[in-house]
Amino acid sequence: MLTGIIISLGLFAMIFGIVYLHKRERMAMIERGMDPRSYKYKQQAAPYQTLKWGMLLIGAGVGLFLAFTMDRTIFASTHYENEAIYFSLIAICGGLGLFTSFHMEKKGLHNGPGQE
Protein backbone atom coordinates (compact mmCIF):
# COMPACT_ATOMS: atom_id res chain seq x y z
CA MET A 1 0.00 0.00 0.00
CA LEU A 2 2.84 2.38 0.87
CA THR A 3 4.53 1.57 -2.44
CA GLY A 4 1.49 2.72 -4.40
CA ILE A 5 1.40 6.02 -2.54
CA ILE A 6 5.13 6.64 -3.05
CA ILE A 7 4.93 5.79 -6.76
CA SER A 8 1.91 8.06 -7.21
CA LEU A 9 3.61 10.95 -5.40
CA GLY A 10 6.81 10.44 -7.39
CA LEU A 11 4.92 10.44 -10.68
CA PHE A 12 3.04 13.59 -9.73
CA ALA A 13 6.27 15.32 -8.65
CA MET A 14 7.98 14.36 -11.92
CA ILE A 15 5.14 15.67 -14.09
CA PHE A 16 4.84 18.84 -12.00
CA GLY A 17 8.60 19.43 -12.25
CA ILE A 18 8.64 18.99 -16.03
CA VAL A 19 5.72 21.38 -16.53
CA TYR A 20 7.16 23.91 -14.07
CA LEU A 21 10.58 23.93 -15.72
CA HIS A 22 9.04 24.22 -19.19
CA LYS A 23 6.96 27.23 -18.12
CA ARG A 24 9.99 28.80 -16.43
CA GLU A 25 12.06 28.35 -19.58
CA ARG A 26 9.35 30.02 -21.67
CA MET A 27 9.16 32.95 -19.25
CA ALA A 28 12.94 33.40 -19.38
CA MET A 29 12.77 33.48 -23.19
CA ILE A 30 10.02 36.11 -23.08
CA GLU A 31 12.04 38.22 -20.63
CA ARG A 32 15.00 38.17 -23.03
CA GLY A 33 12.81 39.27 -25.91
CA MET A 34 12.71 35.92 -27.69
CA ASP A 35 9.54 34.43 -29.16
CA PRO A 36 9.12 30.96 -27.63
CA ARG A 37 6.75 29.84 -30.42
CA SER A 38 9.32 30.40 -33.14
CA TYR A 39 12.15 28.73 -31.25
CA LYS A 40 12.71 25.14 -32.27
CA TYR A 41 15.08 22.83 -30.46
CA LYS A 42 17.97 21.82 -32.67
CA GLN A 43 19.13 18.29 -32.31
CA GLN A 44 22.83 18.22 -31.54
CA ALA A 45 25.03 16.48 -34.04
CA ALA A 46 26.36 13.17 -32.78
CA PRO A 47 28.19 11.60 -35.72
CA TYR A 48 29.35 8.50 -33.84
CA GLN A 49 26.18 7.82 -31.85
CA THR A 50 25.11 4.96 -34.12
CA LEU A 51 28.58 3.41 -33.95
CA LYS A 52 28.53 3.60 -30.15
CA TRP A 53 25.13 1.94 -29.83
CA GLY A 54 26.00 -0.66 -32.44
CA MET A 55 29.23 -1.64 -30.73
CA LEU A 56 27.50 -1.76 -27.33
CA LEU A 57 24.75 -4.06 -28.61
CA ILE A 58 27.18 -6.27 -30.51
CA GLY A 59 29.31 -6.59 -27.38
CA ALA A 60 26.29 -7.39 -25.22
CA GLY A 61 25.14 -10.00 -27.74
CA VAL A 62 28.57 -11.61 -27.85
CA GLY A 63 28.68 -11.62 -24.05
CA LEU A 64 25.25 -13.24 -23.83
CA PHE A 65 26.26 -15.87 -26.39
CA LEU A 66 29.50 -16.62 -24.55
CA ALA A 67 27.70 -16.89 -21.22
CA PHE A 68 25.12 -19.26 -22.69
CA THR A 69 27.83 -21.40 -24.30
CA MET A 70 29.86 -21.53 -21.10
CA ASP A 71 26.77 -22.34 -19.04
CA ARG A 72 25.87 -25.26 -21.31
CA THR A 73 29.36 -26.68 -21.72
CA ILE A 74 31.83 -25.77 -18.97
CA PHE A 75 29.36 -25.40 -16.10
CA ALA A 76 26.92 -28.10 -17.25
CA SER A 77 28.08 -30.56 -14.60
CA THR A 78 27.32 -28.21 -11.71
CA HIS A 79 23.84 -28.08 -10.28
CA TYR A 80 24.08 -24.42 -9.40
CA GLU A 81 22.33 -21.57 -11.14
CA ASN A 82 24.84 -19.45 -13.03
CA GLU A 83 23.05 -16.10 -13.41
CA ALA A 84 26.14 -14.13 -12.43
CA ILE A 85 28.06 -15.28 -15.49
CA TYR A 86 25.36 -13.88 -17.78
CA PHE A 87 25.39 -10.43 -16.18
CA SER A 88 29.16 -10.26 -15.91
CA LEU A 89 29.89 -11.31 -19.49
CA ILE A 90 27.22 -8.97 -20.89
CA ALA A 91 28.76 -6.09 -18.93
CA ILE A 92 32.35 -7.01 -19.84
CA CYS A 93 31.69 -7.49 -23.55
CA GLY A 94 29.43 -4.41 -23.70
CA GLY A 95 32.23 -2.40 -22.09
CA LEU A 96 34.71 -3.81 -24.59
CA GLY A 97 32.35 -2.75 -27.37
CA LEU A 98 32.22 0.80 -26.01
CA PHE A 99 36.00 0.80 -25.61
CA THR A 100 36.38 -0.30 -29.24
CA SER A 101 33.91 2.38 -30.31
CA PHE A 102 35.94 5.00 -28.43
CA HIS A 103 39.13 3.98 -30.20
CA MET A 104 37.36 3.97 -33.58
CA GLU A 105 36.03 7.49 -32.92
CA LYS A 106 39.44 8.68 -31.76
CA LYS A 107 41.09 7.29 -34.88
CA GLY A 108 38.40 8.81 -37.10
CA LEU A 109 38.62 12.24 -35.46
CA HIS A 110 42.41 12.25 -35.42
CA ASN A 111 42.83 11.36 -39.09
CA GLY A 112 39.96 13.50 -40.28
CA PRO A 113 37.69 12.70 -43.19
CA GLY A 114 39.46 11.23 -46.18
CA GLN A 115 42.82 10.74 -44.41
CA GLU A 116 42.93 7.03 -43.74
Side-chain angles (χ1 to χ4, degrees):
M1 172 130 173
L2 186 61
T3 305
I5 294 171
I6 291 173
I7 289 174
S8 299
L9 287 174
L11 184 64
F12 173 75
M14 183 180 69
I15 292 171
F16 179 77
I18 290 171
V19 170
Y20 174 74
L21 290 175
H22 180 69
K23 297 280 186 191
R24 190 168 172 178
E25 179 185 30
R26 290 176 57 91
M27 290 303 293
M29 290 175 73
I30 291 170
E31 287 175 1
R32 291 189 182 127
M34 300 169 69
D35 184 17
R37 288 177 283 154
S38 66
Y39 182 73
K40 301 286 184 203
Y41 289 100
K42 296 178 184 175
Q43 191 173 10
Q44 294 179 350
Y48 292 105
Q49 193 70 26
T50 306
L51 173 68
K52 189 177 294 183
W53 277 102
M55 294 301 289
L56 174 66
L57 292 175
I58 288 171
V62 168
L64 184 61
F65 176 72
L66 284 175
F68 178 77
T69 304
M70 289 174 69
D71 190 28
R72 298 295 176 185
T73 57
I74 298 171
F75 301 113
S77 62
T78 63
H79 298 291
Y80 300 108
E81 297 294 327
N82 298 315
E83 293 93 8
I85 196 167
Y86 285 92
F87 291 111
S88 62
L89 280 176
I90 288 172
I92 289 168
C93 292
L96 287 174
L98 288 174
F99 188 71
T100 305
S101 168
F102 169 75
H103 280 291
M104 292 172 79
E105 289 177 31
K106 188 174 160 184
K107 182 180 176 185
L109 291 174
H110 180 66
N111 290 339
Q115 297 177 354
E116 297 180 33

